[in-house]
């Protein structure tokens, strides 16, 4: 059974159990926001080059889904040879190195990073990563992260959404409006939270912990 089918089966099972119970009203389908700053995910091979053979990341802050922010940071350099220093590395290590930046960072670096979900790296932008022990030149791997919602299967069932469904999100405040094209990612390891980057947060007056409304 593949992972996507397993997740959707779990959601369907929870939906069945919720039948006859009170459904969450549309106005109460709230989601907390987490503003995501630029960061890097490293492969084992690139970790060895940047920090030394056999080196390990040092966790200092736990994130959802078994991920963590590490104490280690790197410098990233784009085509304009302009550097952005102290870019946080997130763990654990992955199969492929990935650099997530904002559109503003792209202008500074001189790269044309596509807007993608995490892991969708084919044909993405090149970038150089520098660590204390060496440097790595990536032919692809730099993206602007597409805004998205992480959700547990129980919340997905209660909210009436499925894994990879695209929803609309409404915000209030002085710059109130809607954000379209927001994919939902469902996994038992997730807590329900929407992730946007610093550009979107600053432009829309959104801050960490703010609650938005999901419009299915």
């Amino acid at each position: 059974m593949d992972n996507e089918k397993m997740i959707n089966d779990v959601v369907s099972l929870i939906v069945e159990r919720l039948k006859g119970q009170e459904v969450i009203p549309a106005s109460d389908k709230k989601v907390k926001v987490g503003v995501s700053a630029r960061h890097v995910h490293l492969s084992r091979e690139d970790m060895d080059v940047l920090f030394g053979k056999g080196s390990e990341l040092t966790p200092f802050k736990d994130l959802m889904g078994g991920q963590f922010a590490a104490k280690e940071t790197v410098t990233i350099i784009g085509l304009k040879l302009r550097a952005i220093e102290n870019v946080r590395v997130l763990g654990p290590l992955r199969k492929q190195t990935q650099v997530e930046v904002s559109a503003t960072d792209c202008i500074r670096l001189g790269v044309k990073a596509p807007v993608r979900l995490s892991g969708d790296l084919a044909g993405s932008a090149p970038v150089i990563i520098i660590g204390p022990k060496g440097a790595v030149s990536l032919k692809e791997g730099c993206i602007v992260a597409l805004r998205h919602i992480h959700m547990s299967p129980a919340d997905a069932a209660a909210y009436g959404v499925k894994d990879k469904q695209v929803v609309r999100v409404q915000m209030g405040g002085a710059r109130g409006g809607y954000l379209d094209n927001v994919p939902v990612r469902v996994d038992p390891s997730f807590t329900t939270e929407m992730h946007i980057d610093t550009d979107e947060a600053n432009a829309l007056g959104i801050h960490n912990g703010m609650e938005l409304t999901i419009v299915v």
Side-chain angles (χ1 to χ4, degrees):
M1 180 183 294
D2 60 46
N3 192 53
E4 181 180 352
K5 185 176 187 303
M6 180 182 68
I7 291 171
N8 286 329
D9 286 347
V10 170
V11 173
S12 297
L13 179 62
I14 294 173
V15 169
E16 287 298 318
R17 291 181 178 177
L18 288 175
K19 283 183 177 178
Q21 299 182 27
E22 184 177 356
V23 178
I24 296 176
S27 60
D28 290 339
K29 292 180 179 179
K30 304 292 187 181
V31 59
K32 185 176 68 174
V33 174
V35 180
S36 182
R38 66 179 78 96
H39 59 271
V40 173
H41 301 274
L42 295 176
S43 67
R44 176 71 266 174
E45 180 182 5
D46 292 340
M47 178 76 185
D48 286 345
V49 173
L50 297 171
F51 292 95
K53 188 71 174 179
S55 57
E56 298 293 342
L57 294 173
T58 309
F60 87 94
K61 182 180 180 181
D62 290 333
L63 305 173
M64 74 170 63
Q67 295 190 82
F68 60 88
K71 292 183 179 180
E72 287 75 17
T73 62
V74 295
T75 296
I76 55 175
I77 298 177
L79 299 179
K80 290 184 177 180
L81 298 181
R82 296 175 182 169
I84 298 179
E85 300 178 333
N86 299 316
V87 179
R88 184 71 57 190
V89 179
L90 302 190
L93 299 177
R94 293 189 175 188
K95 291 182 179 180
Q96 185 174 357
T97 295
Q98 174 175 301
V99 178
E100 296 182 37
V101 297
S102 69
T104 299
D105 291 335
C106 289
I107 295 171
R108 178 176 174 181
L109 294 168
V111 299
K112 295 181 179 179
V115 179
R116 300 270 185 85
L117 281 173
S118 179
D120 184 5
L121 302 179
S124 56
V127 71
I128 296 170
I129 306 174
I130 299 177
K133 299 292 185 180
V136 173
S137 180
L138 300 180
K139 293 182 178 179
E140 62 182 20
C142 183
I143 63 171
V144 175
L146 176 64
R147 53 182 175 252
H148 58 279
I149 297 172
H150 291 284
M151 193 170 284
S152 67
D155 282 348
Y159 282 38
V161 299
K162 295 183 178 181
D163 186 46
K164 297 184 179 179
Q165 182 174 341
V166 178
V167 299
R168 197 180 195 201
V169 176
Q170 182 182 18
M171 72 204 75
R175 294 184 173 181
Y178 292 88
L179 286 172
D180 293 325
N181 304 319
V182 185
V184 176
R185 310 186 78 177
V186 181
D187 190 271
S189 67
F190 291 161
T191 53
T192 299
E193 186 172 274
M194 180 175 175
H195 288 173
I196 64 175
D197 69 15
T198 51
D199 277 358
E200 289 182 313
N202 291 337
L204 299 168
I206 296 173
H207 55 79
N208 271 316
M210 189 174 182
E211 288 192 332
L212 309 184
T213 302
I214 297 173
V215 181
V216 179

